[in-house]
């Protein structure tokens, strides 16, 4: 025999919420677990909302059936004659409640009965206990419905806030990933650039070694031939003197190449030590010109030199500065055809001493200028130009000038239009 606990009239949306709250409270008092409380309250809410949507009014009655064991919590949802309910209309309830029944009365009204077994290990609900439940529920304050709505609103608000926090975390994570992705892309680009640079440097190194082998083979062959001829007793004294001079010239040439290689090695390892002292760049230029006057005369070059009357003092090592000036002047002579013109000008401006060497020789391509002072680049160009030498001069010039706190740059209007090299070294007091 069912023992009635409570009946809730359903006429408005707030009463749907009230029915849901009562279902949860009664399920809790009956000893059902929280998950079963949620299932019952959800099923009641769905059916009560159907009443509002289809009929506009109905009721939800709660009772305990104690005729069998285990006892059953019985929930009867009654809807006046509006439409006939079928199992398809209660598919959602069927997923929540295992035992339920649908019946229709003579007036066409529908009653859906939900039956939920109570825990067997719980206390039996006697009529006295059920009556106590009824009194307890009746004594709940009148604003229980609004309280339930507020509780749901609080839950929804908390859920929304939690979702917003998660969204903010996701946005931050997305920004972090985008930054990381940009960093990775930049790193990959940098690695690709470095790999291309290393590949090009390796190619130039191979070309340089090939040139070095060629440059050494010639002098060594000449020295070997002269040595064999000197071992021949029939060589006259005059020929012996010529062969000795040949050996001396070739040894001097190889010594100069070896010194360039040693300089490159020292510069690469950062072991070049300068013995600095006050140096007048006018004397440096004059000494370098004296060393290369014969080479310019041999090619019938016109050499125009413009030096100021006042001292152009810098702090540096005179021998290295002469080496810098001599290398640039030698390049101008080498790459200027016979009968060309070379201008050497020394000036002082804005705290710097500037040396320019201009020729009307074969010129420099615009593509080559940015890497003209790199190691091995000149070796590549030397091969193309058919000139002898390892082509390390400009790399040495750049490194030695940087060791003096100075710089060097090149300019040209292209092949066939000559070129200008500009050296700048900080001026210093005498």
């Amino acid at each position: 025999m069912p023992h009635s606990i409570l009946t809730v009239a359903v006429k408005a949306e707030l009463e749907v919420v009230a029915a849901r709250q009562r279902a949860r409270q009664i399920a809790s008092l009956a000893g059902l677990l929280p998950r079963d409380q949620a299932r019952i309250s959800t099923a009641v809410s769905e059916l009560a909302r159907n009443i509002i949507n289809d009929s506009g009014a109905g009721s939800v009655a709660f009772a305990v059936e104690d005729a069998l064991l285990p006892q059953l919590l019985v929930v009867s949802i009654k809807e006046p004659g509006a439409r006939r309910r079928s199992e398809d209309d209660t598919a959602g309830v069927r997923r929540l409640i295992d035992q339920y029944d649908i019946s229709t009365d003579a007036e066409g009204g529908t009653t859906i009965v939900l039956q939920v077994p109570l825990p067997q290990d719980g206390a039996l609900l006697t009529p006295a206990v059920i009556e106590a439940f009824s009194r307890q529920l009746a004594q709940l304050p009148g604003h229980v419905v609004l309280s339930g709505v507020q509780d749901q609103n609080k839950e929804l608000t908390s859920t929304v806030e939690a979702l917003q926090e998660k969204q903010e975390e996701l946005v931050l994570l997305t920004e972090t990933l985008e930054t990381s992705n940009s960093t990775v892309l930049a790193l990959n680009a940098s690695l690709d650039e470095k790999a291309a640079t290393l590949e090009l440097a390796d190619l130039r190194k191979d070309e340089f070694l090939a040139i070095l082998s060629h440059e050494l083979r010639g002098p060594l062959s000449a020295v070997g031939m002269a040595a064999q001829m000197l071992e021949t007793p029939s060589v006259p004294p005059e020929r012996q003197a010529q062969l000795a001079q040949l050996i001396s010239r070739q040894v001097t040439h190889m010594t100069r190449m070896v010194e360039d290689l040693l300089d490159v090695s020292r510069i690469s390892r950062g072991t070049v030590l300068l013995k600095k002292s006050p140096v007048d760049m006018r004397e440096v230029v004059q000494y370098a010109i004296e060393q290369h006057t014969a080479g310019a005369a041999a090619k019938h070059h016109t050499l125009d030199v413009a030096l100021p009357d006042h001292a152009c003092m810098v702090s540096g090592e005179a021998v290295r500065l002469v080496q810098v000036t001599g290398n640039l002047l030698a390049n101008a002579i080498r790459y200027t055809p016979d009968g060309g013109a070379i201008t050497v000008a020394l000036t002082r401006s804005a705290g710097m001493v500037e040396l320019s060497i201009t020729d009307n020789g074969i010129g420099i391509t615009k593509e080559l200028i940015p890497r003209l002072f790199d190691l091995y680049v000149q070796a590549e160009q030397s091969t193309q130009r058919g000139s002898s030498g390892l082509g390390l001069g400009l790399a040495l010039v750049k490194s030695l000038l940087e060791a003096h706190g100075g710089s060097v740059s090149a300019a040209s209007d292209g092949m066939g239009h000559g070129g200008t090299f500009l050296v700048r070294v900080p001026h210093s007091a005498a």
Side-chain angles (χ1 to χ4, degrees):
M1 175 180 177
H3 296 279
S4 177
I5 300 175
L6 181 70
T7 299
V8 178
V10 178
K11 298 179 181 180
E13 184 65 30
L14 283 179
E15 289 163 338
V16 173
V17 178
R20 178 188 181 92
Q21 291 296 105
R22 292 303 194 187
R24 182 182 288 275
Q25 292 165 355
I26 292 171
S28 176
L29 291 172
L32 292 174
L33 296 175
R35 66 173 179 273
D36 294 324
Q37 298 172 23
R39 289 165 54 201
I40 294 172
S41 61
T42 302
V44 169
S45 176
E46 181 176 332
L47 294 173
R49 184 162 283 106
N50 287 342
I51 292 175
I52 296 297
N53 293 337
D54 297 335
S55 303
S59 64
V60 180
F62 300 90
V64 173
E65 175 62 66
D66 60 354
L68 300 172
L69 290 178
Q71 293 178 307
L72 299 174
L73 174 60
V74 180
V75 184
S76 301
I77 298 92
K78 294 184 178 181
E79 182 179 1
R83 56 167 292 187
R84 184 180 298 273
R85 294 287 177 186
S86 66
E87 290 192 359
D88 292 337
D89 296 324
T90 58
V93 175
R94 190 165 60 247
R95 292 192 297 268
L96 297 170
I97 306 298
D98 294 331
Q99 300 179 33
Y100 73 96
D101 181 63
I102 305 174
S103 62
T104 304
D105 58 25
E107 288 77 20
T110 300
T111 300
I112 301 175
V113 179
L114 311 178
Q115 296 178 344
V116 180
L118 299 180
Q120 295 186 15
D121 56 354
L124 290 175
L125 301 182
T126 64
V129 173
I130 296 171
E131 185 178 352
F133 284 173
S134 299
R135 289 195 302 268
Q136 182 179 349
L137 292 169
Q139 292 172 359
L140 289 174
H143 60 273
V144 64
V145 174
L146 293 178
S147 176
V149 173
Q150 291 172 350
D151 290 341
Q152 292 184 17
N153 285 340
K154 289 179 180 179
E155 292 179 4
L156 289 173
T157 301
S158 299
T159 302
V160 171
E161 290 176 352
L163 289 174
Q164 288 177 341
E165 290 179 0
K166 291 296 183 182
Q167 184 180 14
E168 292 174 357
E169 292 177 3
L170 288 174
V171 170
L172 181 60
L173 179 59
T174 301
E175 292 176 352
T176 302
L177 289 175
E178 288 177 351
T179 302
S180 300
N181 186 49
S182 299
T183 303
V184 169
L185 291 176
L187 179 61
N188 287 338
S190 177
L191 290 175
D192 290 343
E193 183 179 351
K194 289 181 179 179
T197 301
L198 289 174
E199 184 177 355
L200 182 59
D202 186 62
L203 176 63
R204 291 173 182 166
K205 179 196 67 177
D206 292 342
E207 294 173 346
F208 169 77
L209 291 176
I211 293 172
L212 176 61
S213 301
H214 174 75
E215 290 294 329
L216 289 176
R217 184 183 295 114
L220 286 174
S221 298
V223 169
M225 179 194 66
Q228 289 178 356
M229 293 183 67
L230 286 174
E231 291 175 354
T232 303
S234 59
V235 178
E238 298 82 8
R239 184 56 176 163
Q240 290 179 1
Q242 292 176 351
L243 292 174
Q245 292 174 1
L246 184 149
I247 292 174
S248 177
R249 286 195 304 272
Q250 298 305 325
V251 168
T252 299
H253 178 58
M254 288 189 291
T255 299
R256 185 165 57 250
M257 285 193 291
V258 170
E259 288 176 350
D260 283 348
L261 289 171
L262 289 174
D263 279 340
V264 169
S265 175
R266 295 189 190 101
I267 291 170
S268 299
R269 291 182 287 113
T271 58
V272 175
L273 299 178
L274 300 178
K275 298 178 181 178
K276 291 185 178 181
S277 61
V279 178
D280 189 346
M281 284 296 293
R282 294 181 303 175
E283 297 177 0
V284 168
V285 172
Q286 289 172 345
Y287 191 69
I289 289 175
E290 289 176 3
Q291 291 181 341
H292 293 86
T293 298
K299 297 186 71 174
H300 309 288
H301 290 328
T302 299
L303 194 59
D304 185 14
V305 181
L307 301 178
D309 295 332
H310 52 78
C312 295
M313 304 302 298
V314 299
S315 177
E317 184 175 327
V319 173
R320 292 297 189 179
L321 292 173
V322 171
Q323 181 181 3
V324 166
T325 307
N327 281 351
L328 294 177
L329 188 56
N331 270 0
I333 294 171
R334 181 182 301 119
Y335 297 122
T336 300
D338 290 358
I342 300 173
T343 300
V344 179
L346 185 67
T347 59
R348 192 177 72 189
S349 173
M352 304 293 290
V353 174
E354 297 182 347
L355 170 66
S356 65
I357 298 177
T358 303
D359 64 69
N360 61 350
I362 63 175
I364 310 168
T365 63
K366 292 182 179 179
E367 293 77 15
L368 178 61
I369 288 179
R371 55 190 182 92
L372 186 62
F373 298 95
D374 294 343
L375 283 173
Y376 310 134
V377 171
Q378 278 298 98
E380 172 189 347
Q381 296 303 310
S382 296
T383 303
Q384 296 174 356
R385 292 172 177 178
S387 302
S388 62
L390 299 180
L392 298 175
L394 291 183
L396 290 173
V397 166
K398 177 177 180 289
S399 299
L400 289 174
L401 284 172
E402 288 177 350
H404 282 81
S407 63
V408 61
S409 60
S412 174
D413 291 332
M415 299 303 293
H417 295 282
T420 297
F421 287 84
L422 177 64
V423 171
R424 303 179 80 242
V425 184
H427 176 262
S428 67

